Amino acid sequence: LSGLVGSEMCIRDRYTTFDEKSKAQFMVLLEENNLKDKSILNLFTSTKYDDNICLYSPKIDGMLDILNYKIPESISFIFDEISKDEIGKKLIENYKIKFPNEYKNAIDYDISKFSKNSIYSLWNIASIVLGIEKYDTSKNIIFENSSNAILEKGPRVDNKLFDSNKIFNKEFNINKFIQSGISFKLAGVDDKTLSLGYVESFSYFLANLIDEVHGEFELDGISICGDMIADELFYKLINKAITKNFKIYYNKDFPIQK
């Protein structure tokens, strides 16, 4: 019994090693699954903390951030970035004409409340831009809607990265993410189907990123943690999208998000 208590204390000590919740959770997962000699890519997706995709490998003597998310200062900034080319400029103009109330509400909305750098925050921003009505302000309407979509598949929303020659510290392209959603909104895609498209497309984005990292580092497995995986649909989509025969690891006795 004393050995078990000591082991539990060691794991909890591991959790406090890092200030970043994603890395703290990953460290515990590695300890629980005895993966210190393996190359593991961790997907941490959370409703409360910053997301992170992080590689652990003895080949690099530690951890390496593959991707983080950065929240822009305003929706106006996103619209300005989209409008830098003629296609994007025309798209925003058409959106302003066809959906004037949604456009104005988006421009006036203070997105600083979405302080966590996560896909959850980006979905919240997308819902504001697209005018997807939210009855419960404590919930993420895109995440909620995706579970209630009538169709089984949604449109393929752009989840892209800014161009970079590096395999690490990649930056998510929120401009394409929003631009793609606006295109589908203008084409008449309903809110629930578009919401499913956002969530489903993100799962394929993760799968593609896993393949890219595997091509560079030859992964021994994938680990997944954070409270988003407790959602049945999200969990199913992630597992469906990861088509290669990777071993997938989860927390054992420790919670998926502390």
Side-chain angles (χ1 to χ4, degrees), residues 66 161-170 212 216:
I66 302 299
L161 301 170
F162 285 107
D163 291 338
S164 173
N165 293 324
K166 299 182 296 184
I167 193 67
F168 57 91
N169 288 336
K170 290 178 175 292
E212 185 178 344
E216 294 283 335

Side-chain angles (χ1 to χ4, degrees), residues 105-131:
N105 289 339
I107 290 291
D108 294 341
Y109 198 91
D110 179 12
I111 62 172
S112 64
K113 66 180 67 178
F114 305 130
S115 58
K116 302 306 178 186
N117 295 309
S118 65
I119 194 65
Y120 197 77
S121 290
L122 297 187
W123 286 338
N124 266 319
I125 293 170
S127 72
I128 300 303
V129 171
L130 300 171

